[in-house]
């Protein structure tokens, strides 16, 4: 029992040391927390741009949207017609097209610390949340349909810190659920991209 207690104490001490070291430098970054905060302050604002859906190299659809950066990245009015392209399920595509709605997508993110040679680009780690469409009628059955995004390395982001500040985001849906049950009809080649410039608000 004493051995277990000693082992637990050692683990707590190691965790405390790890936390302290991570606090000074963001994980895997050359940027300090203060530098990351300054980059975040530069990034805040409203961006106007284009949200597009691309399958491999082929662009299938694009729409003009607003994107706001405050405590998270928020893409306003993400349309069902774009989400419909994430699935090969004809009934679900028709249900989304018929719904013809929009939804705000909130994307938590963390500032990265790698710059290009002239220090004008900041990298972001994106952690998109799920898009949930309540009570879609799919094949004559009402279902809660959830589109779960990939995160991390599959969802990069870039903030261009030059005079004309710009934002580039990439998001990939990695799972579709009907009433919390995973489906197998995902279009794994589709990527959503947003490219915009900050407005002079």
């Amino acid at each position: 029992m004493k051995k277990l207690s000693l082992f637990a104490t050692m683990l707590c001490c190691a965790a405390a040391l790890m936390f302290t070291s991570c606090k000074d430098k963001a994980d895997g970054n050359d940027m300090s927390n203060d530098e990351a905060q300054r980059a975040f302050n530069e990034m805040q604002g409203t961006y106007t741009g284009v949200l597009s859906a691309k399958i491999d190299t082929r662009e299938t659809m694009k729409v003009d949207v607003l994107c706001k950066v405050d405590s998270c990245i928020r893409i306003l009015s993400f349309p069902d017609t774009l989400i419909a392209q994430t699935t090969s399920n004809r009934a679900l595509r028709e249900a989304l097209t018929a719904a013809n709605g929009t939804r705000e997508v909130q994307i938590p993110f963390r500032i990265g610390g790698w710059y290009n040679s002239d220090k004008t680009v900041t990298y972001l780690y994106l952690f998109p949340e799920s898009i949930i469409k309540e009570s879609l009628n799919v094949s004559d059955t009402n279902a809660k349909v959830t589109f779960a995004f990939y995160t991390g390395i599959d969802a990069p982001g870039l903030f261009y810190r030059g005079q004309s500040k710009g934002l580039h985001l990439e998001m990939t849906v990695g799972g579709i659920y009907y009433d919390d049950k995973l489906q197998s009809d995902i279009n794994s080649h589709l990527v959503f991209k947003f490219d915009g410039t900050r407005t002079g608000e």
Side-chain angles (χ1 to χ4, degrees):
M1 190 69 177
K2 287 182 179 178
K3 286 183 179 179
L4 285 174
S5 178
L6 178 62
F7 182 65
T9 303
M10 289 172 65
L11 280 178
C12 289
C13 290
L17 286 171
M18 287 174 65
F19 177 76
T20 302
S21 63
C22 290
K23 205 168 70 165
D24 294 332
K25 295 282 186 180
D27 292 343
N29 298 335
D30 296 325
M31 188 188 297
S32 70
N33 285 351
D34 287 344
E35 290 169 330
Q37 183 62 48
R38 284 199 294 272
F40 170 70
N41 292 341
E42 290 178 357
M43 207 180 131
Q44 291 184 85
T46 301
Y47 296 76
T48 58
V50 175
L51 178 65
S52 61
K54 293 189 177 182
I55 298 175
D56 297 323
T57 59
R58 180 172 59 89
E59 186 174 85
T60 63
M61 182 181 291
K62 60 183 181 180
V63 292
D64 295 328
V65 296
L66 286 178
C67 177
K68 290 192 174 182
V69 179
D70 39 46
S71 59
C72 64
I73 296 172
R74 296 184 290 131
I75 296 180
L76 310 182
S77 303
F78 201 114
D80 287 344
T81 48
L82 279 184
I83 298 171
Q85 297 186 50
T86 64
T87 177
S88 58
N89 183 307
R90 183 175 176 179
L92 179 55
R93 289 172 70 100
E94 289 176 351
L96 286 163
T97 302
N100 194 29
T102 60
R103 182 182 179 87
E104 178 180 307
V105 178
Q106 298 185 0
I107 309 171
F109 71 100
R110 183 164 64 85
I111 297 286
W114 293 282
Y115 292 115
N116 64 353
S117 58
D118 57 0
K119 297 191 175 182
T120 60
V121 177
T122 296
Y123 290 81
L124 312 174
Y125 300 97
L126 306 180
F127 306 98
E129 296 178 337
S130 298
I131 297 178
I132 300 171
K133 295 293 178 182
E134 297 286 350
S135 299
L136 275 177
N137 191 312
V138 183
S139 299
D140 296 324
T141 302
N142 286 329
K144 179 186 75 174
V145 182
T146 306
F147 300 85
F149 282 109
Y150 275 135
T151 60
I153 196 168
D154 291 306
L158 297 172
F159 169 55
Y160 299 98
R161 305 170 65 242
Q163 188 172 0
S164 178
K165 291 179 168 47
L167 193 63
H168 171 80
L169 311 172
E170 295 184 18
M171 300 162 286
T172 304
V173 170
I176 300 173
Y177 298 80
Y178 297 173
D179 294 327
D180 301 322
K181 183 178 179 181
L182 182 63
Q183 305 297 303
S184 60
D185 53 13
I186 188 168
N187 180 356
S188 60
H189 298 284
L190 184 135
V191 177
F192 296 119
K193 294 186 179 183
F194 171 80
D195 285 285
T197 54
R198 198 165 73 188
T199 61
E201 55 180 354

